[in-house]
Amino acid sequence: DVSFRYPGAEDDALHQINLKIARGQTVALIGATGSGKTSLVNLIPRVYDPREGQVLINGKDVREFPLLDLRNQIAYSPQKITLFTGTIASNIAFGKGPKNITPTDIVEAGDIAACDFIADKEGEFAAEVAPGGSNFSGGQKQRMSIARTVARDAQILIFFLLLMTLLAPSIMPPTGTFAGNYRRKQAGKPRSLWRSGSQLCEKPTRS
């Protein structure tokens, strides 16, 4: 059972949590702000360590991995999305890791993340991204962040979905589209998929 308390706090943010996630399983953590979703997820890449208990990957305590080796197994889409001056392609490929991301990986990641808006941009994946991604909507930034995470092809994928930015059909397709696309593309390559958000809208994928 895992318990975690922030430094200086009197009470646990997480108390006696017992959770097992199978390889290839998709898990959604849903709850109000302050309910502990972020605290729980941040124990996996060792942003924090638990006060009690263990977090295990394939039966091994995460504290036994060299930190770089641990984090190379994880691809993480944060709550605060950051886009950089450059192109859509350079933003999807951004970051260091064990995988050399190819143009094919970038296009496939955009497809998985349902980045349909890219086709409408001049230059498509070569389209310019302004500082901070100011020329993209919140939902479009979210999709590019998802694509960036998917392109890493890690064993564990963690997404903080700001789901209200994804619910308007004029901005984005439903979140179920992403999950369905990912399962189809990754058939035979099991990964653990986490989604964390204050609200969840699951609908059938579009054909």
Side-chain angles (χ1 to χ4, degrees), residues 43-107:
L43 298 180
I44 303 172
R46 292 195 63 199
V47 177
Y48 301 104
D49 287 328
R51 181 176 64 83
E52 295 178 346
Q54 293 178 295
V55 178
L56 307 175
I57 296 178
N58 295 327
K60 183 176 180 179
D61 192 312
V62 294
R63 289 169 287 198
E64 296 178 9
F65 290 95
L67 192 58
L68 180 60
D69 291 349
L70 171 66
R71 293 181 176 175
N72 277 341
Q73 299 181 61
I74 301 165
Y76 187 98
S77 181
Q79 288 176 296
K80 184 177 180 180
I81 299 165
T82 303
L83 297 183
F84 303 93
T85 303
T87 65
I88 291 175
S90 67
N91 270 272
I92 293 175
F94 182 84
K96 294 182 179 180
K99 178 179 173 64
N100 182 26
I101 297 174
T102 67
T104 298
D105 295 327
I106 292 169
V107 173

